[in-house]
Amino acid sequence: MASRRKEPPAEDGRLIETDVLVVGGGPAAAWAALSAAETGARVVLADKGYHGTSGATAPSNTGTWCVPPGEDRAASVERRFKRTAGLADRRWMLRAADRAYENLQKLVEWGYPFPSEEDGSLYIANLRGPDYMRFMRQRVQKAGVTILDHHPILELLGDDNHIGGAAGVVRRTGAGFRVSAGGIVLATGGCAFFERILGGTGLTGDGHLFAAEAGASLSGMEFTGKYTLAPHGSSLNKGLPFRWATFYRKNGEVLRDARGEPVTNGIGGGERQVAEAMLSGPVYARLDLADPAMQDWLRRGQPNCFQPYDRMGINPFGDLFRVELKYEGTVRGTGGIRIVSSECGTGIAGLYAAGDAASRENVTGGISGGGAINASWAIASGWWAGHGAAQHARRCQNREIVRLRSLGTTGLRGTAERVDIDLADAARTVHAEIAPLDKSYWRTTETLETSRRTLEHVWAGLRQAKPATGIDRLRAREVASVTASARWTIAAALLRTESRGVHRRRDFPGEDEAQASRILVSGLDQVTAVREDRALPMAQEG
Amino acid sequence: MIEVVSADRCIRCDICERVCPAFVFDRDETGLPVIARQDDCQTCFLCEIYCPTDALYVAEQAHGPTGITEPEALQRDLFGAYARSLGWSRGRAGGAENDPTRHIRVAQV
């Protein structure tokens, strides 16, 4: 394989020293890198893909939760809080709204090309993914951050008291590299569980696994029953155009709700009925409620959504087309690494989490948060985590990477048995236990128990597999982190014997006041799930 | 998935190989991109808009190739379609300032 590269390939075992290491390449990673660099810290950003295109944001067009300062802000938080199934935190919502607003103003200052309102003022409540992430890369470069594209991190390095580095692999060569850092931000994104959604290939919950191996907990993993409509077979899990859809059977018969009304608005009231209908056969849609002005705005404002239709040669405003609900795991669902301090510390010294890698319960509670809240959370949590990691790096100046242990386990270091394993088969099995509507849109004790047993079997197989080498380590670790994330999801979903937010139990359809607390999961070979209000306080700042 | 690399349009730069978030491309001895890991493609269409000569075509099916050929993509004017609708041109960003999404968000509620 001949390939011309501008930079020379890294030698095996190359060691990079820095103050802050940011793992990931989406918006949370970019804001964390900028925030740490602003304090004067040396920063390395190691992205599994290319910082500027990787993650769920770059291929999208996302709203922001943009709440200007003033009296209305508290009211806006209160309105949002009512939709969070009782598990958000008003203090965090307020500070997230504030931080996101401040940083959106920075984008204005830096010259991001926001569109104008009719009165000439800038409309900053929306960011176009490709442009936003390309712009962020340029800012990150300008801030002096060292960007390592296609340098996936495979594991953390640490001792009994703190995390002090990470090790990864260079995709082009398969060579290893290590980074010694005073503070580390995990901004690795959510876990898409191998569903083919925008950004999904790289979103394998890597940071979840790293954090758990370091001893951190995760939270909210049961709030992963999140799906979004897409043209069937496509990657376009963007729901906005379906606001103007009516839903049909293949023969053109319109779907009707319990009162006999046509099922419409696939991102609102219609979603559940569409999901129900899909259990008994294919569902079709037509964006027939969009008037000509809206059709024009949708086409020009959401051009990514129209790529599948244009390429298939169909007119979605006039033709029926088949749809599916794409599973979104923790990408639009909510669970992730538990945050225990204001600076987004994980409870493990030196380790911080931001964006979709972190649990978003503080701002979204038990619901998805949609694009807007989640985009603002990425901006705010990235900023805080970058500051926290930089501060931590300043506090521990004498660092010796030789003392640190490799914390990676499954996929990197097997047990003594060393059996061959088919990773593609393992990936398909895990996806099949988590992505179908009758597994994660609706859950029952029975389906969850069946999945739990299957996933335990997959995990045991991964544990016994021959350790991967070279670039194959990446896939081995991705399958391990998705499998671990699936096991945490199932454990949390089994413990929550009620329906709340985007966790729906067929066998417990109602909300139970006594379960209005968060669920924490932890552990690798032995997974445990506990209710936060009964867990021991974990107050140690990250 | 990424399906077509037009050898005629391609200028043998290294942009698609570098910007693909899923690391799908290698390049052959002449510098032409080769779709080496097609199944890793996440159908995000971003390689298309970064390509300075609209030499790449990503088909809409995320689970496997459709078999579309370069002449068909050319005949249907599909090369560069996403870039044009965004307002990007020759691999350069543009058009975000004309995004009418605010009208959609107002009407969405």
Side-chain angles (χ1 to χ4, degrees):
Chain A
M1 173 181 68
S3 182
R4 293 174 303 174
R5 301 288 295 169
K6 281 179 185 153
E7 71 270 34
E11 292 160 29
D12 199 18
R14 175 187 175 200
L15 174 65
I16 302 160
E17 224 201 285
T18 190
D19 297 320
V20 172
L21 170 65
V22 177
V23 186
W31 285 106
L34 289 178
S35 158
E38 190 199 57
T39 71
R42 294 171 301 164
V43 183
V44 170
L45 181 152
D47 189 354
K48 183 192 226 173
Y50 173 83
H51 179 45
T53 60
S54 56
T57 298
S60 307
N61 187 344
T62 182
T64 62
W65 190 39
C66 179
V67 194
E71 287 173 18
D72 287 348
R73 186 178 272 175
S76 174
V77 164
E78 202 51 42
R79 278 196 302 278
R80 272 280 173 181
F81 181 80
K82 289 201 174 75
R83 293 163 54 189
T84 62
L87 293 182
D89 180 323
R90 290 180 180 87
R91 184 183 77 91
W92 277 86
M93 294 177 78
L94 267 171
R95 68 191 287 259
D98 193 56
R99 189 69 257 169
Y101 187 79
E102 290 285 327
N103 287 10
L104 288 168
Q105 294 300 328
K106 285 183 201 294
L107 287 177
V108 173
E109 209 176 290
W110 297 337
Y112 176 80
F114 283 109
S116 300
E117 299 269 23
E118 277 63 24
D119 65 2
S121 63
L122 293 178
Y123 180 76
I124 65 169
N126 196 75
L127 290 161
R128 215 168 69 163
D131 306 79
Y132 171 38
M133 289 315 301
R134 184 177 194 150
F135 187 88
M136 291 305 288
R137 179 187 178 90
Q138 288 163 354
R139 291 304 305 187
V140 168
Q141 275 175 327
K142 207 169 171 180
V145 172
T146 302
I147 300 174
L148 302 175
D149 295 310
H150 303 299
H151 276 57
I153 293 297
L154 296 175
E155 62 178 325
L156 298 179
L157 309 173
D159 61 22
D160 292 339
N161 303 314
H162 80 298
I163 298 301
V169 61
V170 184
R171 272 185 132 163
R172 175 53 67 200
T173 63
F177 70 96
R178 289 177 303 152
V179 183
S180 164
I184 295 180
V185 178
L186 296 175
T188 44
C191 182
F193 295 93
F194 301 124
E195 183 83 334
R196 290 179 184 260
I197 56 175
L198 290 175
T201 301
L203 297 173
T204 45
D206 307 359
H208 300 30
L209 180 63
F210 304 158
E213 286 171 341
S217 301
L218 292 91
S219 182
M221 290 301 285
E222 71 278 30
F223 299 119
T224 40
K226 181 73 188 93
Y227 295 75
T228 290
L229 282 161
H232 190 262
S234 77
S235 58
L236 252 298
N237 56 316
K238 298 294 151 193
L240 192 51
F242 294 101
R243 166 68 181 74
W244 289 275
T246 307
F247 295 91
Y248 302 85
R249 289 296 186 187
K250 191 177 186 177
N251 62 7
E253 182 193 335
V254 69
L255 289 183
R256 294 188 183 278
D257 65 17
R259 290 170 314 177
E261 298 294 321
V263 174
T264 61
N265 189 3
I267 55 170
E271 180 198 279
R272 199 171 179 129
Q273 283 140 347
V274 169
E276 287 278 4
M278 279 178 181
L279 295 178
S280 59
V283 172
Y284 289 70
R286 184 164 55 207
L287 309 180
D288 41 21
L289 300 179
D291 61 25
M294 180 56 66
Q295 291 182 22
D296 174 60
W297 292 333
L298 283 168
R299 274 204 164 274
R300 290 191 295 116
Q302 306 288 306
N304 58 344
C305 295
F306 288 84
Q307 296 314 307
Y309 308 125
D310 291 349
R311 286 158 208 238
M312 285 187 275
I314 62 172
N315 167 19
F317 303 110
D319 303 332
L320 287 190
F321 58 94
R322 191 174 169 192
V323 292
E324 65 177 313
L325 279 161
K326 288 274 182 187
Y327 183 55
E328 298 176 310
T330 73
V331 179
R332 231 193 286 247
T334 287
I337 302 162
R338 186 193 181 206
I339 296 297
V340 304
S341 74
S342 297
E343 300 290 287
C344 291
T346 62
I348 307 299
L351 191 63
Y352 299 78
D356 294 349
S359 171
R360 279 186 252 98
E361 283 164 299
N362 282 331
V363 291
T364 71
I367 65 160
S368 148
I373 296 264
N374 298 349
S376 286
W377 168 253
I379 293 171
S381 63
W383 191 260
W384 295 322
H387 261 76
Q391 271 168 20
H392 187 86
R394 270 197 301 279
R395 286 199 298 269
C396 51
Q397 288 294 336
N398 296 319
R399 304 193 285 270
E400 279 187 81
I401 197 164
V402 287
R403 292 215 196 124
L404 302 178
R405 284 195 317 274
S406 301
L407 300 183
T409 54
T410 306
L412 287 176
R413 294 171 190 89
T415 58
E417 295 175 53
R418 311 288 165 111
V419 292
D420 281 313
I421 186 161
D422 183 342
L423 286 175
D425 186 54
R428 275 191 298 273
T429 303
V430 175
H431 180 262
E433 288 305 327
I434 208 97
L437 288 168
D438 57 3
K439 298 276 177 72
S440 284
Y441 199 100
W442 293 280
R443 294 161 167 157
T444 68
T445 300
E446 196 188 345
T447 58
L448 289 167
E449 279 295 348
T450 304
S451 296
R452 191 183 62 77
R453 284 191 294 274
T454 304
L455 293 167
E456 287 307 311
H457 185 72
V458 173
W459 184 257
L462 296 173
R463 286 284 292 155
Q464 292 164 6
K466 275 185 194 149
T469 56
I471 192 60
D472 294 340
R473 290 177 289 176
L474 175 58
R475 193 60 178 165
R477 288 294 272 172
E478 288 179 336
V479 173
S481 51
V482 171
T483 307
S485 297
R487 290 166 72 235
W488 293 319
T489 295
I490 299 294
L494 272 166
L495 185 59
R496 192 173 289 287
T497 49
E498 62 161 352
S499 291
R500 184 181 294 272
V502 290
H503 168 67
R504 304 170 206 87
R505 289 283 299 255
R506 287 250 198 230
D507 42 359
F508 298 98
E511 209 173 272
D512 173 7
E513 199 47 45
Q515 298 192 46
S517 68
R518 298 184 190 171
I519 288 177
L520 313 183
V521 292
S522 58
L524 292 153
D525 295 334
Q526 194 67 48
V527 169
T528 54
V530 292
R531 296 186 195 278
E532 188 180 43
D533 56 359
R534 289 174 210 171
L536 289 171
M538 297 166 71
Q540 188 192 354
E541 294 270 313
Chain B
M1 283 179 174
I2 175 75
E3 292 201 45
V4 180
V5 177
S6 167
D8 292 343
R9 290 165 166 251
C10 176
I11 54 167
R12 276 73 173 166
C13 68
D14 61 354
I15 292 176
C16 58
E17 185 198 19
R18 281 195 291 120
V19 305
C20 172
F23 204 61
V24 159
F25 299 103
D26 287 336
R27 286 189 298 146
D28 72 10
E29 56 283 353
T30 71
L32 185 70
V34 176
I35 304 168
R37 288 165 290 273
Q38 188 177 38
D39 196 52
D40 288 347
C41 175
Q42 61 187 18
T43 318
C44 69
F45 308 104
L46 292 175
C47 59
E48 283 189 17
I49 67 172
Y50 274 83
C51 176
T53 57
D54 295 339
L56 304 169
Y57 180 69
V58 177
E60 72 283 358
Q61 293 298 322
H63 295 266
T66 61
I68 188 168
T69 59
E70 180 173 348
E72 187 188 344
L74 199 61
Q75 187 259 321
R76 292 179 55 206
D77 200 20
L78 292 172
F79 282 109
Y82 184 33
R84 283 194 296 278
S85 57
L86 283 165
W88 285 42
S89 173
R90 300 182 181 200
R92 295 201 191 96
E97 68 280 7
N98 301 320
D99 183 351
T101 294
R102 64 188 187 284
H103 298 297
I104 308 174
R105 302 249 183 246
V106 169
Q108 170 192 1
V109 185

